[in-house]
């Protein structure tokens, strides 16, 4: 067998995919990433930045060919530019693309949005769901968009989406449950209570009914009542979300040992260690909170920018600014445009005494917040 040499025989600057933040250093790496992740990086494929990078690393003849590729065939054209994939691999991709092209535009957008939603990257999923809704307003899209808003603590937008979704599919039990939760988060307790009544008529044994009843009490600061309903929900189904909210009751009552005891009902996942860190942080034990978050990072299948940012913030508060900078750089690599990540980066720069860098990053963050406000 003969070795196949890379088309670029030099050390290259990286190309960063805008939508995913992934970096590649060779043309072969770029093709491999596109082949396996084309849905997620569709907006990058054959963009001006990709073509410019190809020319920059000494492959101007390939960059010229990339400019001439027609958009409908851009993915197959790109991965076929050099002899990197064999015919079976190219045929498999072509069949997959053909199936994709036959689907309606809103379905394609939804599939891409669902991918980011499943990875917890709400800010990347939301615009895709919105674009899909421009083609077809349906209950599934509205429901999924609402969930992303709730994850970003934008309950009012979520409630608006779910209200529209219920008008389209009034019998959809899942959407009804999401509507109840959004109504509670908005403080619309009368609407939530009516929703709970409807849900109870359909499935009185569903654990969410007890949970949401407790959630109303929780936000009204009736913690004993909330805990009673949360325990009833946990007994019916020991879901992690129920357990975490029961722990929140004890945190709010400053019963930190009891919060940890409740948390022990969960499996030792990244979610468990993240909540454990939150309990220790509320208790004032920053050192143990850092230990728990480190466990969360190592337990998570794919640590998120939010997780690294939480760790960075705790390290900064524990006067470990150098370690905090390492954590925040990992967060920035995953979500370079996330204003909350950038804000923590600015705080760390300040803690390190790098005032000029702090001011520069802070100005970028403030600009980002202003632009986000205008777009909203």
């Amino acid at each position: 067998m003969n070795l196949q040499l890379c088309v670029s025989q030099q050390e290259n600057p990286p190309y960063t995919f805008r939508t995913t933040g992934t970096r590649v250093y060779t043309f072969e790496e770029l093709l491999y990433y596109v082949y396996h992740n084309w849905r997620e990086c569709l907006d990058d494929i054959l963009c001006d930045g990709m073509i410019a990078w190809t020319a920059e690393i000494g492959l101007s003849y390939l960059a010229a060919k990339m400019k001439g590729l027609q958009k409908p065939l851009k993915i197959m054209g790109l991965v076929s530019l050099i002899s990197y994939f064999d015919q079976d691999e190219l045929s498999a991709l072509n069949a997959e693309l053909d199936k994709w092209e036959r689907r309606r535009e809103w379905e394609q957008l939804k599939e891409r949005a669902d991918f980011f939603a499943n990875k917890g990257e709400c800010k990347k999923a939301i615009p895709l769901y919105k674009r899909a809704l421009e083609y077809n307003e349906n209950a599934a899209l509205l429901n999924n968009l609402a969930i992303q808003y709730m994850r970003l603590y934008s309950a009012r937008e979520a409630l608006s989406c779910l209200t529209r979704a219920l008008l389209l599919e009034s019998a959809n039990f899942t959407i009804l449950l999401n509507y109840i939760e959004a109504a509670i988060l908005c403080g619309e307790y009368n609407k939530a209570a009516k929703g709970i009544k409807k849900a109870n008529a359909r499935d009185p044994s569903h654990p969410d009914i007890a949970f949401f009843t407790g959630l109303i009490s929780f936000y009204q600061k009736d913690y004993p009542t909330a805990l009673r309903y949360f325990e009833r929900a946990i007994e019916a189904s020991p879901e992690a979300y129920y357990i975490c909210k029961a722990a929140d009751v004890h945190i709010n009552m400053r019963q930190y040992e009891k919060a940890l005891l409740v948390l022990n009902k969960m499996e030792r996942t990244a979610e468990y260690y993240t909540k454990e860190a939150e309990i220790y942080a509320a208790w004032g034990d920053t050192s143990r909170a850092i230990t728990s978050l480190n466990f969360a990072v190592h337990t998570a299948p794919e640590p998120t920018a939010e997780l690294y940012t939480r760790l960075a913030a705790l390290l900064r508060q524990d006067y470990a600014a150098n370690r905090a900078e390492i954590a925040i750089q990992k967060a920035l690599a995953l979500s370079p445009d996330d204003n909350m990540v950038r804000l923590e980066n600015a705080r760390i720069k300040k803690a390190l005494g790098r005032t000029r860098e702090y001011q520069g990053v802070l100005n970028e963050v403030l600009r980002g917040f202003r632009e986000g406000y205008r777009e909203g």
Side-chain angles (χ1 to χ4, degrees):
M1 294 179 68
N2 295 322
L3 291 176
Q4 181 178 333
L5 298 178
C6 290
V7 291
S8 55
Q9 298 292 308
Q10 60 189 35
E11 188 173 338
N12 300 323
Y15 175 73
T16 304
F17 286 87
R18 294 169 300 176
T19 46
T20 63
T22 300
R23 293 182 179 183
V24 294
Y25 292 84
T26 67
F27 194 71
E28 285 80 5
E29 280 185 280
L30 183 142
L31 295 185
Y32 182 88
Y33 188 77
V34 168
Y35 183 94
H36 290 283
N37 302 277
W38 56 268
R39 289 182 184 82
E40 297 82 67
C41 61
L42 273 176
D43 294 335
D44 277 287
I45 295 172
L46 296 183
C47 69
D48 292 341
M50 180 181 285
I51 294 171
W53 174 80
T54 304
E56 184 185 356
I57 63 172
L59 304 175
S60 54
Y61 66 100
L62 288 178
K65 288 184 178 180
M66 289 163 73
K67 287 181 182 177
L69 291 173
Q70 296 297 313
K71 284 213 168 186
L73 303 172
K74 63 181 184 178
I75 298 174
M76 287 304 301
L78 177 62
V79 299
S80 304
L81 278 176
I82 62 173
S83 300
Y84 184 66
F85 298 105
D86 62 34
Q87 193 54 51
D88 287 343
E89 290 172 315
L90 292 174
S91 296
L93 178 61
N94 193 46
E96 197 175 352
L97 289 169
D98 186 55
K99 183 179 177 182
W100 167 269
E101 289 295 336
R102 287 199 301 268
R103 290 177 57 186
R104 287 176 290 182
E105 183 74 17
W106 75 267
E107 291 178 309
Q108 296 176 9
L109 288 165
K110 180 181 180 297
E111 185 173 325
R112 292 174 62 196
D114 288 345
F115 170 83
F116 288 117
N118 290 332
K119 287 183 68 177
E121 297 186 44
C122 310
K123 291 181 179 178
K124 292 178 181 178
I126 285 173
L128 292 169
Y129 283 129
K130 284 184 173 180
R131 281 171 58 191
L133 282 164
E134 290 175 7
Y135 291 95
N136 182 17
E137 181 167 285
N138 65 64
L141 285 172
L142 288 164
N143 178 71
N144 290 8
L145 176 58
I147 290 170
Q148 304 316 300
Y149 277 132
M150 282 198 279
R151 288 175 176 170
L152 292 176
Y153 308 104
S154 300
R156 186 61 60 183
E157 288 86 348
L159 184 60
S160 174
C161 290
L162 292 163
T163 301
R164 287 155 58 195
L166 279 177
L167 288 174
L168 295 170
E169 289 188 17
S170 59
N172 191 311
F173 192 66
T174 299
I175 292 175
L176 175 60
L177 294 175
N178 290 333
Y179 169 87
I180 294 166
E181 184 174 7
I184 294 170
L185 294 174
C186 288
E188 300 274 3
Y189 302 129
N190 289 334
K191 288 182 180 179
K194 289 178 182 177
I196 290 171
K197 188 176 180 180
K198 288 180 183 177
N200 189 59
R202 295 186 197 177
D203 185 359
S205 64
H206 198 288
D208 269 354
I209 294 168
F211 175 75
F212 288 141
T213 304
L215 200 59
I216 293 173
S217 296
F218 177 81
Y219 285 114
Q220 292 178 328
K221 298 186 178 181
D222 181 357
Y223 298 129
T225 302
L227 187 60
R228 188 165 65 251
Y229 279 106
F230 289 162
E231 287 173 344
R232 192 180 300 176
I234 293 167
E235 187 178 346
S237 178
E239 299 287 337
Y241 185 50
Y242 301 159
I243 295 168
C244 285
K245 290 311 291 185
D248 284 340
V249 171
H250 291 299
I251 292 172
N252 279 276
M253 296 173 73
R254 301 190 179 187
Q255 297 172 342
Y256 304 113
E257 290 181 352
K258 288 184 178 180
L260 291 170
L261 284 173
V262 168
L263 198 63
N264 280 331
K265 296 177 182 178
M266 282 178 63
E267 292 182 20
R268 298 303 192 268
T269 61
E271 188 176 5
Y272 168 89
Y273 289 115
T274 303
K275 195 66 183 180
E276 185 181 59
E278 186 183 328
I279 295 167
Y280 280 128
W283 203 347
D285 194 338
T286 307
S287 178
R288 292 177 82 174
I290 289 168
T291 300
S292 296
L293 268 187
N294 273 317
F295 274 118
V297 167
H298 290 107
T299 307
E302 292 184 31
T304 62
E306 181 185 2
L307 195 53
Y308 280 122
T309 304
R310 287 189 184 193
L311 178 59
L314 282 174
L315 288 165
R316 172 179 55 79
Q317 292 161 20
D318 203 41
Y319 305 103
N322 288 320
R323 289 171 63 198
E325 187 172 36
I326 294 170
I328 204 63
Q329 288 304 317
K330 291 178 180 178
L332 284 166
L334 292 170
S335 292
D337 299 323
D338 189 309
N339 284 322
M340 299 311 295
V341 176
R342 294 159 78 186
L343 183 59
E344 183 55 40
N345 184 36
R347 290 170 177 150
I348 292 168
K349 294 285 188 285
K350 185 178 181 180
L352 288 166
R354 288 160 25 192
T355 308
R356 183 172 294 180
E357 289 181 58
Y358 160 71
Q359 290 174 339
V361 174
L362 189 62
N363 286 335
E364 288 180 12
V365 172
L366 293 173
R367 192 181 308 118
F369 278 127
R370 284 195 295 269
E371 289 172 359
Y373 177 77
R374 287 194 209 102
E375 289 173 6

